[in-house]
Amino acid sequence: MENEYQRLDAKFAQSLVDIVAAELNKNVNILDDRGVIIASFSRDRIGQVHEAGARMLKAEMIKEFYVSEEDELHLRGIRNGFNVPIMFENKCVGVIGVTGDLKTAEPYARLAARFVEANLQSNARQEKLVGALKEKEELQSIFLNKIIRVQEEERKKISRELHDETSQSLTSIIVGLRILAEQVQNSGEREKILQMRDLALTTLEAVHDMAVQLRPVLLDDLGLVAAAQKYIANYSKQYKILMNIEFNILSRERFATEVEIALYRILQEALTNIVKHAGATQVWVSLYKKQNKLILIINDNGVGFNLDLFKSTHSRTSLGIYGMGERVSLVDGTFEIKSEIGQGTKIFVEIPL
């Protein structure tokens, strides 16, 4: 199938015709690869067949040719003038003709043909560059998607192991230490055993937190809303930040796995950035559906930052925000961040369902 850039652009052809015709005060025609006039200084000729050009193209004997005044008498739709094939990648894609005597018409026809060929070559290079860039972006997206999927599966596996195996083993140790402490008569030894039990309890809490950070069981079992509510509750308790949430209307509605994971990770990253960099005392989180789209908004009253400066840096924060944007793009969503110094930060995510 012929690529679009291999065809003559009628609009460009007409512009060239007008320029050359105005310079020469002669008529100029450009034919397509069938000999049909697609551009002419005489507008009424557009759409007509140039018989001499059509014959040459059909015979596949591609060459320059001159139409004499005598030829005009027995050939339809032509006028006296010099005609030059327009070549692209060893193929004739059209013909340009300039009316008038040979001496005047020949150099202008050749120059115009070379100009059209140069335009076609430029379009082809641009098309190839655009195609290569698009292919690169598609491959990058596929590669990134695979990395994220593998990463999430590994997180899920480790989280399950921590929750089901490590946590249960630690719980058994804690229970065993408590029973042992009750059986020991020596108060000093009992105190040591209770200290070991407290250390095991602290370790169990750390393991539980690690499992939640990796992949909360609630996210897989009950969905995004339940997991987000639990995460926000723990976050507020740990960092003493007032959280205002609004997504109860969604109840326990489930969404595609990749969408739930993307939004949960964005919420996680955003709240982590707030506690590390924003110095906020309040955060507002909204999650709702609107016209078959799922929308997440995270807003804080923190110190804010300079967006222009942010875009030119490569800090840990910028990488985190870049990662949020990449996650959104993988589910065909839109990601927007607004911030001003002293005015807090707002993150807007919209994902089609």
Side-chain angles (χ1 to χ4, degrees):
M1 183 177 178
E2 188 178 44
N3 292 323
E4 194 65 32
Y5 60 76
Q6 291 178 300
R7 298 174 183 170
L8 292 173
D9 182 350
K11 187 175 181 180
F12 168 78
Q14 189 60 55
S15 299
L16 179 63
V17 162
D18 292 341
I19 292 170
V20 177
E23 176 70 21
L24 287 174
N25 197 25
K26 299 286 187 179
N27 191 39
V28 179
N29 301 309
I30 295 182
L31 325 179
D32 64 13
D33 55 359
R34 297 170 300 160
V36 177
I37 298 173
I38 62 169
S40 176
F41 191 64
S42 300
R43 298 294 199 275
D44 59 328
R45 302 203 66 200
I46 295 175
Q48 295 180 6
V49 175
H50 189 286
E51 191 168 316
R55 284 184 179 180
M56 184 268 287
L57 290 164
K58 188 175 182 180
E60 295 185 352
M61 295 183 62
I62 309 304
K63 62 181 181 179
E64 298 175 349
F65 62 93
Y66 178 68
V67 176
S68 65
E69 293 179 355
E70 182 180 344
D71 293 329
E72 282 188 82
L73 300 175
H74 60 273
L75 289 174
R76 179 175 57 87
I78 67 169
R79 293 181 184 175
N80 167 235
F82 195 75
N83 299 270
V84 178
I86 299 170
M87 304 299 296
F88 178 74
E89 295 182 349
N90 298 319
K91 180 181 178 181
C92 181
V93 295
V95 178
I96 186 164
V98 177
T99 62
D101 62 88
L102 180 62
K103 184 178 180 181
T104 303
E106 182 180 0
Y108 277 97
R110 285 177 176 165
L111 181 63
R114 300 297 85 80
F115 191 80
V116 175
E117 289 168 358
N119 176 258
L120 288 170
Q121 292 289 350
S122 176
N123 290 344
R125 284 194 295 271
Q126 183 177 357
E127 186 79 12
K128 287 176 182 177
L129 285 172
V130 170
L133 180 61
K134 185 178 179 182
E135 183 179 357
K136 180 182 177 182
E137 289 175 346
E138 288 175 351
L139 288 173
Q140 182 180 1
S141 178
I142 292 170
F143 183 61
L144 183 60
N145 200 3
K146 286 184 177 179
I147 288 176
I148 289 176
R149 285 185 178 182
V150 170
Q151 184 185 58
E152 287 295 339
E153 284 300 316
E154 192 64 24
R155 283 181 171 185
K156 182 179 178 181
K157 179 181 176 182
I158 296 172
S159 177
R160 288 285 183 181
E161 288 176 354
L162 288 173
H163 183 272
D164 296 340
E165 296 179 18
T166 308
S167 293
Q168 288 180 11
S169 297
L170 283 169
T171 301
S172 298
I173 292 172
I174 291 166
V175 172
L177 288 170
R178 181 177 60 81
I179 294 171
L180 182 62
E182 291 174 352
Q183 294 175 349
V184 172
Q185 301 298 322
N186 186 292
S187 59
E189 291 180 354
R190 186 185 305 112
E191 183 64 27
K192 288 180 180 179
I193 293 172
L194 290 175
Q195 287 177 358
M196 291 177 65
R197 185 200 63 176
D198 292 341
L199 178 59
L201 275 169
T202 303
T203 304
L204 178 61
E205 290 176 359
V207 167
H208 179 263
D209 290 342
M210 189 183 298
V212 170
Q213 289 291 330
L214 285 169
R215 180 75 169 258
V217 175
L218 276 177
L219 184 61
D220 294 310
D221 294 346
L222 298 179
L224 175 63
V225 174
Q229 286 176 325
K230 182 66 175 177
Y231 182 82
I232 290 171
N234 291 339
Y235 177 90
S236 180
K237 182 179 178 181
Q238 181 177 357
Y239 299 111
K240 311 302 180 185
I241 295 176
L242 179 60
M243 301 296 296
N244 306 279
I245 63 173
E246 184 184 352
F247 44 73
N248 292 332
I249 193 171
L250 292 175
S251 185
R252 292 186 177 182
E253 188 169 354
R254 299 304 301 266
F255 306 99
T257 302
E258 59 270 22
V259 170
E260 292 195 334
I261 292 172
L263 287 176
Y264 184 84
R265 294 301 180 201
I266 290 166
L267 175 67
Q268 199 175 35
E269 182 66 35
L271 294 184
T272 300
N273 283 342
I274 288 171
V275 78
K276 284 184 177 180
H277 309 287
T281 58
Q282 284 196 73
V283 177
W284 293 262
V285 180
S286 297
L287 180 67
Y288 60 94
K289 284 200 305 182
K290 183 179 180 182
Q291 296 177 346
N292 206 33
K293 293 178 181 178
L294 193 58
I295 297 170
L296 172 67
I297 300 175
I298 305 169
N299 202 359
D300 69 67
N301 67 344
V303 296
F305 59 91
N306 187 316
L307 268 175
D308 294 330
L309 183 62
F310 152 75
K311 291 175 181 177
S312 63
T313 62
H314 301 282
S315 67
R316 171 66 183 87
T317 309
S318 64
L319 289 174
I321 294 174
Y322 173 79
M324 285 191 271
E326 285 296 310
R327 282 186 178 274
V328 173
S329 67
L330 289 175
V331 287
D332 298 322
T334 56
F335 175 81
E336 185 179 1
I337 182 167
K338 295 181 179 179
S339 186
E340 291 183 22
I341 294 176
Q343 300 296 317
T345 301
K346 181 178 182 179
I347 291 174
F348 178 87
V349 179
E350 183 179 87
I351 297 176
L353 297 176

